[in-house]
């Protein structure tokens, strides 16, 4: 607009000054090395205006052409973007249907033209991995890393998952260690770390992660309890197999006080000590648990099972504690206690007392095992109660030879 106004002013000035200059046009000489150009002042003004007009016209044509090219480029870019979005949605649907080859082709083909190219490349890598093409999956991840940078959490999560799917546990372990440093409280990172540490049997690292996993609320109480038990069992086995009893006890001594009060962990420790035939240490730990738990607090079934395996030199203290506890115990938990007490009596060759304990055990028929019946038969025979021993023996035979009514009916129908 300004250029047009400038041209109109120049023309208007020419029209006004024209009559005045017609009789007094003046003289202009332009001299170069080889040429001399002569013209009137009026001609110079007209020439200047004409050249200026030509320059403005050329500029308008160039800008119009560039604008047209820009619009054309925008149209093609928009078309590619719309096409990429459509193919991405179709590719995600194919992934859900299990057609990973087609999904990888649709999602990865126009990834760079999509709104979120990094997400497209990650999904294409996952699809390629699902169809078993590790090379292509790694190539997509490299492209995603180049676009997002090496510190992108989303890309590193995808890389770690794919390494886990490829069963490259050392590489996955290294990758998840980096993720924990980058985002140690992220729920997806923690869940991935639990899976990788569990599969690679990295129980020490998993044990250090349990508090964060509990605080994050990733699992229900039952699921977390199972994870905790399996982790502690693996950690104890690892210490026992690598360092023996001395290393196991040294590791226990180095634990914080709150872990020493963990009855489940201490019970698992007792089991390993018995396996290593360190009966005295196992006995001391068992005695400590029974002393610290109140008389009305039921002992866990697992602890009672370990007591039946104990063979210390002197078990008198434990027997007294269990006798006292049996007097105050709930009938629902008395079977477990009497069983443990009966085994301790047998170790001392006190068969009369053991017989009294096993009489209480066999009253709980729903909790009896084949081992209980066998031991009860042995105890009753040693105590001179042959009739009762024969009765339990018959019960044991019936239990061993019992036939499922459903299977009987099925056999008869055939």
């Amino acid at each position: 607009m300004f250029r047009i106004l400038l041209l109109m002013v120049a023309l208007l000035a020419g029209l006004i000054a024209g009559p005045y200059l017609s009789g007094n046009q003046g003289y202009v000489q332009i001299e170069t090395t080889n040429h001399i150009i002569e013209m009137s002042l009026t001609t110079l003004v007209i020439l200047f205006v004409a050249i200026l007009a030509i320059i403005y016209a050329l500029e308008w044509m160039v800008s119009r052409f560039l604008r047209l090219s820009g619009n054309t480029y925008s149209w093609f870019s928009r078309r590619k973007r719309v096409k990429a979005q459509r193919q991405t949605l179709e590719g995600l649907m194919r992934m859900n249907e299990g057609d990973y080859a087609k999904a990888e082709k649709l999602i990865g083909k126009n990834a760079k033209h999509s709104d979120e190219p990094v997400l497209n490349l990650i999904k294409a890598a996952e699809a390629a991995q699902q169809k078993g093409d590790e090379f292509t999956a790694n190539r997509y991840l490299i492209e995603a890393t180049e676009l997002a940078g090496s510190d992108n959490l989303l890309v590193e999560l995808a890389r770690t998952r794919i390494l886990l799917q490829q069963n490259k546990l050392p590489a996955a372990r290294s990758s998840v260690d980096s993720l924990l440093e980058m985002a140690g409280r992220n729920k997806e990172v923690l869940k991935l770390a639990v899976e990788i540490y569990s599969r690679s049997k990295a129980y020490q690292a998993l044990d250090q992660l349990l508090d964060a996993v509990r605080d994050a609320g990733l699992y229900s109480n039952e699921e977390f309890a199972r994870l905790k038990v399996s982790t502690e069992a693996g950690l104890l086995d690892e210490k026992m197999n690598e360092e023996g009893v001395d290393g196991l006890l040294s590791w226990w001594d180095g634990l914080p006080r709150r872990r020493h009060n963990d009855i489940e962990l201490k019970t698992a420790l007792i089991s390993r000590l018995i396996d290593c035939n360190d009966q005295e240490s196992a006995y001391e730990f068992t005695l400590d648990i029974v002393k610290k738990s109140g008389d009305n607090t039921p002992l866990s079934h697992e602890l009672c099972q370990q007591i039946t395996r104990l063979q210390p030199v002197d078990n008198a203290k434990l027997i007294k504690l269990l006798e006292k506890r049996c007097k105050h115990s709930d009938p629902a938990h008395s079977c477990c206690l009497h069983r443990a007490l009966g085994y301790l009596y047998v170790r001392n060759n006190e068969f009369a007392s053991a017989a009294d304990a096993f009489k209480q055990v066999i009253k709980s028929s729903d909790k009896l095992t084949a081992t209980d019946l066998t031991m009860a038969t042995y105890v009753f025979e040693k105590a001179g109660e042959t009739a009762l021993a024969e009765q339990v023996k018959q019960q044991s035979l019936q239990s061993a030879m019992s036939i499922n009514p459903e299977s009987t009916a099925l056999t008869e129908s055939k």
Side-chain angles (χ1 to χ4, degrees), residues 5-287:
L5 181 61
L6 182 61
L7 287 173
M8 291 179 66
V9 170
L11 289 173
L12 183 61
L15 290 173
I16 295 173
Y20 171 75
L21 295 173
S22 60
N24 187 20
Q25 294 187 8
Y27 176 77
V28 176
Q29 178 177 322
I30 302 173
E31 184 176 352
T32 63
T33 304
N34 300 319
H35 300 281
I36 297 175
I37 301 173
E38 296 178 352
M39 67 182 72
S40 66
L41 184 60
T42 304
T43 304
L44 179 63
V45 171
I46 294 172
L47 183 62
F48 173 75
V49 172
I51 293 173
L52 193 62
I54 292 171
I55 292 173
Y56 285 162
L58 290 173
E59 183 185 5
W60 177 81
M61 292 174 64
V62 171
S63 63
R64 184 66 182 268
F65 175 77
L66 293 176
R67 191 181 302 116
L68 180 63
S69 299
N71 291 337
T72 304
Y73 177 78
S74 298
W75 183 83
F76 278 109
S77 297
R78 186 166 56 254
R79 182 176 178 274
K80 289 180 179 179
R81 188 165 58 251
V82 171
K83 182 180 179 182
Q85 290 175 347
R86 186 176 66 252
Q87 289 186 340
T88 299
L89 291 175
E90 185 180 352
L92 291 174
M93 293 175 62
R94 292 299 181 95
M95 276 192 76
N96 291 333
E97 294 171 0
D99 188 356
Y100 297 110
K102 187 66 174 178
E104 182 252 316
K105 182 178 180 181
L106 288 169
I107 298 174
K109 185 177 181 180
N110 292 310
K112 293 183 179 179
H113 301 293
S114 65
D115 292 335
E116 296 292 342
V118 174
L119 291 178
N120 273 60
L121 290 170
I122 289 173
K123 284 298 180 182
E126 292 176 355
Q129 178 58 40
Q130 288 294 334
K131 71 174 186 177
D133 190 350
E134 294 185 6
F135 178 80
T136 304
N138 293 332
R139 179 170 59 82
Y140 282 125
L141 285 176
I142 291 172
E143 292 181 25
T145 303
E146 291 174 352
L147 287 176
S150 58
D151 293 333
N152 188 279
L153 180 62
L154 190 62
V155 176
E156 293 305 313
L157 274 171
R159 184 195 310 281
T160 308
R161 288 195 188 97
I162 288 176
L163 286 171
L164 184 61
Q165 291 172 2
Q166 294 173 351
N167 205 31
K168 297 178 180 177
L169 291 179
R173 168 74 188 277
S174 177
S175 182
V176 84
D177 288 342
S178 300
L179 280 173
L180 287 170
E181 293 181 5
M182 185 188 306
R185 295 293 177 180
N186 184 280
K187 290 186 177 183
E188 289 300 318
V189 173
L190 288 172
K191 187 177 293 186
L192 199 56
V194 168
E195 185 175 358
I196 291 172
Y197 288 157
S198 298
R199 286 180 57 176
S200 60
K201 301 186 185 305
Y203 297 112
Q204 183 71 43
L206 187 55
D207 184 62
Q208 295 174 356
L209 206 64
L210 286 179
D211 289 341
V213 171
R214 183 193 59 229
D215 296 340
L218 292 176
Y219 305 100
S220 65
N221 292 335
E222 294 77 11
E223 291 172 335
F224 180 77
R226 287 196 295 269
L227 174 64
K228 181 173 178 290
V229 169
S230 64
T231 301
E232 291 172 345
L235 185 58
L236 289 167
D237 289 337
E238 184 180 277
K239 292 293 180 182
M240 181 180 68
N241 294 333
E242 293 180 359
E243 303 177 27
V245 176
D246 293 337
L248 186 60
L249 292 175
S250 177
W251 170 80
W252 174 263
D253 292 336
L255 291 178
R257 187 178 185 85
R258 65 179 182 82
R259 300 296 296 274
H260 285 182
N261 296 328
D262 188 336
I263 294 178
E264 292 181 355
L265 178 58
K266 192 178 287 187
T267 303
L269 174 66
I270 292 170
S271 174
R272 272 67 183 180
L273 290 172
I274 295 175
D275 291 339
C276 293
N277 203 31
D278 189 353
Q279 295 286 340
E280 297 306 317
S281 295
Y283 176 73
E284 292 299 325
F285 280 115
T286 304
L287 202 60

Side-chain angles (χ1 to χ4, degrees), residues 305 308 326 334-347 350-365 367-383 385 388-389 392 395:
Q305 285 294 103
T308 63
C326 284
S334 61
C335 177
C336 181
L337 284 173
H338 283 102
R339 181 188 295 114
L341 195 56
Y343 274 85
L344 291 176
Y345 284 136
V346 171
R347 300 277 187 265
E350 299 176 13
F351 293 105
S353 299
D356 292 337
F358 274 99
K359 286 176 184 178
Q360 299 298 321
V361 173
I362 62 176
K363 287 182 179 179
S364 303
S365 57
K367 298 180 181 179
L368 283 178
T369 65
T371 305
D372 290 337
L373 294 173
T374 302
M375 178 58 75
T377 302
Y378 170 75
V379 168
F380 293 148
E381 287 177 349
K382 285 291 186 179
E385 301 187 29
L388 187 55
V392 174
Q395 183 180 351

